[in-house]
Amino acid sequence: MPELPDVEVFRRYINEHALKQKISDVTVNNTGILKNTSVSNMKKALKGKVFSRTSRRGKYCFLETNGEDTVVLHFGMTGNIKYHENGTPLDDHERVRFHFENGNILSFVNVRLLGEVRLIKDKDSFVTSKQIGSDALQLSYNQFRQLLQRRSSMVKSMLMNQNLLSGIGNVYADEILYQSRIHPKKNVKDLTESQVKKLYTMMKKVTETAIKKNVDAGKFPHSYITHRREEGEKCPSCGGTLEKIKVSGRPTYFCPKCQEE
DNA sequence: AGTACCACCTGACGGC
DNA sequence: TGCCGTCAGGTGGTAC
């Protein structure tokens, strides 16, 4: 799940439930999820502190504290966030639990262990060291156009390149390209000015719509294909059959009729 | 520079 | 029922 819209929804959920509550403990179910830190470091850094605010860049979620440390969450291919009322028994997939003095718990859920939890001092240097591109929602049209300049790659690969712009993953890349009526394998150097413009507009629109709909694909507009990622599904525009191919190794759905190469 | 392939993990699903 | 291969909304490394 966790692409930009999903992470943004998690972030808002955390804002709604888990800010300004004193942290009493941190427990870790599987230490493999911790990167560059340890359970004892986590406890030491967070006990007695509160999460003061959250932020996000691409698929990374930052939980800033009133201390020196910031918790970084990345979900990998699976995962979500859950705020528990007091006394909820531990589920196997809850990898890290932040316990609050009021008895409630903020839980980092991660089925496959591809996600990670970190502790950092400085967000900017983290972003720099990881070379995380500008957030897709923050990018201006001019910046977007700059990114495409003198570049030669398949448009879907470009959208998913987190070093260029961050937040777009496999599913939303397909939706953006479908809404833009651009073939996923089209080379960015062959895009017309109006296609670039369309791509940018749809990137924003699809992302914002997904957030507005709380990333519930069932509530997405009928004209979307995100909830149609299965063999044999029909294109909501032309009624033809959606095709499944691989692009940079990832399963890709598109309409061969509406998105000509 | 861009792409293909593999690895990291676990769970769900279809075929036998 | 159970085993097995395949696949999955991400990222990082390697090799061409």
Side-chain angles (χ1 to χ4, degrees):
Chain A
M1 289 161 108
E3 302 183 31
L4 188 158
D6 309 84
V7 179
E8 177 61 17
V9 169
F10 298 155
R11 190 187 74 78
R12 293 179 186 189
Y13 175 87
I14 293 167
N15 278 356
E16 211 174 298
H17 293 95
L19 294 189
K20 313 249 178 342
Q21 298 164 40
K22 198 172 264 190
I23 299 165
S24 57
D25 200 8
V26 182
T27 52
V28 180
N29 191 8
N30 187 318
T31 52
I33 212 80
L34 300 182
K35 291 287 171 324
N36 295 333
T37 188
S38 64
V39 183
S40 59
N41 272 346
M42 296 278 287
K43 287 180 194 277
K44 207 184 308 168
L46 298 176
K47 271 187 181 183
K49 302 292 191 300
V50 303
F51 293 125
S52 48
R53 64 184 292 267
T54 63
S55 53
R56 184 187 57 71
R57 183 166 175 125
K59 302 171 189 172
Y60 288 89
C61 184
F62 301 96
L63 313 186
E64 297 169 32
T65 69
N66 58 344
E68 291 180 357
D69 301 86
T70 292
V71 174
V72 186
L73 306 179
H74 191 280
F75 296 87
M77 295 260 274
T78 56
N80 61 320
I81 279 291
K82 183 76 192 161
Y83 186 75
H84 292 296
E85 300 296 320
N86 204 348
T88 310
L90 182 72
D91 180 274
D92 278 352
H93 302 132
E94 291 179 44
R95 307 303 184 180
V96 179
R97 275 183 152 195
F98 303 96
H99 304 259
F100 300 110
E101 271 186 358
N102 60 17
N104 296 342
I105 294 160
L106 181 69
S107 187
F108 176 79
V109 184
N110 203 243
V111 176
R112 295 162 74 180
L113 292 164
L114 300 174
E116 52 187 63
V117 175
R118 295 171 183 265
L119 216 49
I120 58 167
K121 298 287 183 197
D122 181 51
K123 206 168 50 171
D124 291 337
S125 52
F126 175 75
V127 166
T128 306
S129 70
K130 289 282 236 176
Q131 294 183 273
I132 307 168
S134 297
D135 188 82
L137 277 182
Q138 305 298 321
L139 209 58
S140 73
Y141 177 59
N142 273 337
Q143 290 172 314
F144 183 69
R145 211 170 37 175
Q146 287 288 329
L147 291 179
L148 305 193
Q149 222 90 81
R150 293 180 305 280
R151 196 163 292 278
S152 171
S153 79
M154 292 184 285
V155 60
K156 181 170 176 179
S157 309
M158 181 278 293
L159 282 176
M160 289 179 63
N161 184 341
Q162 304 298 303
N163 302 320
L164 286 183
L165 71 169
S166 63
I168 308 299
N170 195 40
V171 167
Y172 289 104
D174 282 0
E175 190 66 73
I176 291 162
L177 289 164
Y178 174 74
Q179 296 300 327
S180 306
R181 302 290 186 256
I182 296 171
H183 194 287
K185 284 191 168 178
K186 182 128 184 153
N187 195 303
V188 295
K189 71 177 165 21
D190 298 326
L191 292 175
T192 65
E193 175 74 26
S194 82
Q195 282 179 314
V196 173
K197 186 99 200 204
K198 184 91 179 168
L199 195 57
Y200 175 79
T201 308
M202 286 307 166
M203 178 176 81
K204 298 266 170 165
K205 195 167 170 197
V206 166
T207 306
E208 282 163 2
T209 301
I211 294 169
K212 211 174 294 169
K213 300 292 179 188
N214 239 24
V215 292
D216 179 352
K219 295 196 179 117
F220 287 5
H222 179 260
S223 60
Y224 276 38
I225 59 166
T226 294
H227 52 298
R228 298 190 169 92
R229 298 179 69 77
E230 269 181 59
E231 220 88 58
E233 284 282 337
K234 301 291 180 213
C235 167
S237 172
C238 75
T241 305
L242 297 180
E243 205 168 291
K244 182 184 182 186
I245 56 173
K246 293 260 183 198
V247 178
S248 25
R250 311 296 305 279
T252 299
Y253 292 85
F254 74 108
C255 175
K257 200 169 155 200
C258 299
Q259 296 163 267
E260 286 183 12
E261 198 154 2

